[in-house]
Amino acid sequence: MIFKLLLTMWMAVIIVAAFFYAGTAAGFPGQTSRILFFHVPQAWIATLAFLISMIASALYLAKRKVETDYVAQSAAELGFLFCVLATVTGSIFAKATWGSFWNWDPRQTSIVILLMIYGAYFALRSAVSDPERSRVFAGVYSILAFATVPFLVFIVPRITASLHPEDTMSPVNPGMDPKTLKVFLGSLLAYTGLFIWMLRLRIRLLRLKGLRVRDLYHEPDNE
Amino acid sequence: MQTRSSTYLNEAVAIWFRDLRSEFRTRYALNAILMFAVTTLIAVSFSIGSFRIEEAERPFLYSVLLWIILTFSALSGLSRSFVKEEEAGTIDVLKLSARPQAVFFGKLLFNLTLLGALELIIVPSFIFLMAYQINFPGFFVAMIISGGLGLGAGTTIIAAMIARASTRGALFSVLSLPLLLPLMITCIKGCERAAIGIHSAGWPEVKIAVAYVIIMVVMSLFLFPLIWEE
């Protein structure tokens, strides 16, 4: 409870700070550079979630503990959600700075393929009726999909040069304004907290659903 | 050790030949794939013709069309290799009579045979119907072959998965396409380059496609037993 309250207050502070405390970065029209405080943490959470999902899938395939599959599934769902958010916010930024919502910039290409992969992952999960089999297949697919990622990294940048801002907004860049850096790191923390909270909720929900289905078939031990 | 490694190969080849024989009797997968490809090719050729697209645009656009025809034709029939085992109920016998890796290799060889037949018929017809001028045939052929190997390597394990799912037809394409997309982009680029005739040193696209084949086959060998024994 206290964690949720603190998180709510922290997020509120970050949102206000993102608009009123931090300055705008040079080289970006108007207020557009403020996207840094929302878009980048969303992309970071999406990456983190997909990574967690992949590792949990591999663990499930090795040890076959249902709990790890709940983690894999929840993380994949949340990763998908944050990936969509990052795509939409990035697209709005693209309209404001590059002039079009969509121009198949390498970043946009790779994020679309990522969304396709996880869309397929959910389709696979829902198409296999046997729960155990569905978990194994989802795990295998997520590892296979992960194996194609290096190809995207090699191939996609060969097609066109990216317009995506890299160095100007990178937190490791010494040129970044200290105020901006503070709010950015605060926002990363806020989003990570939000992700952990959502992940735990989702895992709890899956666990309850799993219990109900199991109880229909077997008598619970403690009764 | 000598006998062990040879039995893996024997089993795989036995499955390959058995599938070829049963395919030769029904010609179900080959008919489905070829008819899909021929119909698409005719639709493309009829609506575009050989002069509609400007000369400068041809190498790129023809390469896109060719790979769309090849990929989607392959997706229309390659799932057959495992779906037919599930439908005929022969899957349990197959599990008893061969090791998982051998089954995977046998099915992969069978799918590659189908893809070879598809490419052998469709690629020359496409070149003939569209008047596709290729200035660097060696690179082009290498790209077509390595791309075909990639299509087989990327889809065989997916076919094994969807054979156990409830909505087979659509699911096969849905699952395969995201994995094939990097390969498709590479092949389109490679065929465009071969058609233009830029002598790009070392055929980089062919190398990428071969790397894709190796990675997919190795990953499948690790992951296939998990699916097969499920």
Side-chain angles (χ1 to χ4, degrees):
Chain A
M1 191 62 200
I2 189 88
F3 172 65
K4 276 186 264 181
L5 273 175
L6 280 176
L7 186 64
T8 316
M9 279 157 62
W10 184 246
M11 284 226 84
V13 169
I14 290 297
I15 292 171
V16 172
F19 284 99
F20 298 105
Y21 175 72
T24 54
F28 293 90
Q31 305 285 319
T32 50
S33 68
R34 292 191 197 278
I35 191 179
L36 168 74
F37 307 120
F38 305 100
H39 172 77
V40 181
Q42 283 159 3
W44 147 251
I45 293 298
T47 317
L48 179 71
F50 288 144
L51 193 67
I52 290 175
S53 174
M54 219 285 294
I55 293 169
S57 296
L59 275 179
Y60 177 75
L61 291 178
K63 298 261 157 64
R64 303 291 167 104
K65 292 215 175 73
V66 183
E67 197 70 6
T68 46
D69 181 67
Y70 290 160
V71 177
Q73 191 182 347
S74 317
E77 284 167 359
L78 289 176
F80 192 79
L81 174 71
F82 280 96
C83 202
V84 169
L85 285 175
T87 313
V88 171
T89 50
S91 177
I92 295 170
F93 175 78
K95 176 68 180 173
T97 54
W98 312 338
S100 82
F101 284 114
W102 205 264
N103 65 338
W104 291 110
D105 186 83
R107 287 302 178 103
Q108 291 177 327
T109 313
S110 42
I111 212 162
V112 159
I113 296 176
L114 206 57
L115 287 175
M116 277 177 67
I117 287 172
Y118 279 92
Y121 172 88
F122 299 128
L124 177 64
R125 267 192 183 275
S126 58
V128 183
S129 45
D130 179 58
E132 164 114 34
R133 187 180 284 174
S134 147
R135 287 185 201 119
V136 173
F137 284 13
V140 167
Y141 188 73
S142 109
I143 292 172
L144 265 185
F146 195 77
T148 62
V149 169
F151 288 94
L152 293 175
V153 177
F154 284 124
I155 295 155
V156 174
R158 292 170 66 99
I159 307 169
T160 42
S162 179
L163 294 170
H164 193 274
E166 295 286 345
D167 305 325
T168 40
M169 280 193 173
S170 168
V172 285
N173 185 353
M176 195 186 213
D177 182 46
K179 279 183 177 178
T180 312
L181 184 61
K182 259 185 260 171
V183 181
F184 173 68
L185 292 178
S187 177
L188 268 187
L189 191 67
Y191 269 95
T192 312
L194 181 68
F195 168 67
I196 292 169
W197 177 39
M198 290 170 86
L199 187 68
R200 285 179 52 196
L201 272 183
R202 190 75 192 116
I203 292 169
R204 254 167 67 197
L205 193 63
L206 284 176
R207 202 182 290 149
L208 287 174
K209 274 187 185 165
L211 268 184
R212 259 175 48 205
V213 174
R214 211 164 51 216
D215 290 347
L216 284 178
Y217 295 107
H218 310 286
E219 291 293 317
D221 298 330
N222 52 356
E223 269 188 19
Chain B
M1 274 333 270
Q2 190 64 42
T3 49
R4 228 183 137 69
S5 67
S6 70
T7 42
Y8 262 108
L9 192 66
N10 286 350
E11 283 172 11
V13 171
I15 290 169
W16 180 28
F17 282 164
R18 185 207 65 146
D19 275 356
L20 280 182
R21 207 176 299 134
S22 91
E23 177 60 31
F24 205 71
R25 285 183 192 143
T26 60
R27 283 181 290 276
Y28 185 99
L30 195 63
N31 279 344
I33 293 178
L34 275 186
M35 276 318 290
F36 190 103
V38 168
T39 316
T40 326
L41 176 60
I42 288 172
V44 166
S45 172
F46 180 73
S47 47
I48 294 177
S50 41
F51 302 106
R52 185 72 174 271
I53 296 174
E54 277 177 46
E55 194 130 10
E57 300 280 341
R58 274 182 212 168
F60 172 61
L61 285 180
Y62 283 4
S63 155
V64 171
L65 289 170
L66 177 64
W67 277 101
I68 288 178
I69 294 174
L70 287 178
T71 311
F72 281 86
S73 314
L75 288 180
S76 71
L78 284 189
S79 63
R80 244 353 257 175
S81 53
F82 280 100
V83 170
K84 79 173 176 215
E85 305 282 357
E86 189 75 19
E87 280 175 358
T90 49
I91 208 154
D92 293 324
V93 185
L94 196 58
K95 272 182 198 169
L96 287 174
S97 51
R99 276 163 291 191
Q101 283 89 351
V103 174
F104 174 77
F105 255 114
K107 294 292 184 186
L108 177 65
L109 287 172
F110 174 67
N111 277 350
L112 291 178
T113 317
L114 283 181
L115 281 165
L118 168 76
E119 289 185 336
L120 210 60
I121 293 171
I122 292 303
V123 176
S125 321
F126 184 88
I127 294 171
F128 172 74
L129 282 173
M130 306 292 288
Y132 192 5
Q133 204 192 338
I134 293 145
N135 291 326
F136 197 178
F139 186 9
F140 188 82
V141 170
M143 197 68 248
I144 293 285
I145 291 173
S146 57
L149 291 174
L151 283 181
T155 53
T156 304
I157 190 167
I158 304 288
M161 277 199 264
I162 66 113
R164 307 293 191 75
S166 46
T167 49
R168 286 165 187 163
L171 196 64
F172 184 56
S173 312
V174 166
L175 291 181
S176 302
L177 272 177
L179 301 188
L180 291 179
L181 217 57
L183 179 77
M184 254 181 105
I185 295 172
T186 310
C187 292
I188 288 170
K189 189 79 195 156
C191 282
E192 179 199 2
R193 233 190 253 249
I196 298 172
I198 304 172
H199 203 303
S200 51
W203 303 356
E205 279 81 11
V206 175
K207 279 182 186 160
I208 295 175
V210 170
Y212 180 90
V213 173
I214 293 169
I215 288 192
M216 286 320 259
V217 169
V218 170
M219 293 299 285
S220 299
L221 282 178
F222 276 113
L223 295 171
F224 184 77
L226 295 172
I227 296 170
W228 191 238
E229 279 148 20
E230 185 43 55

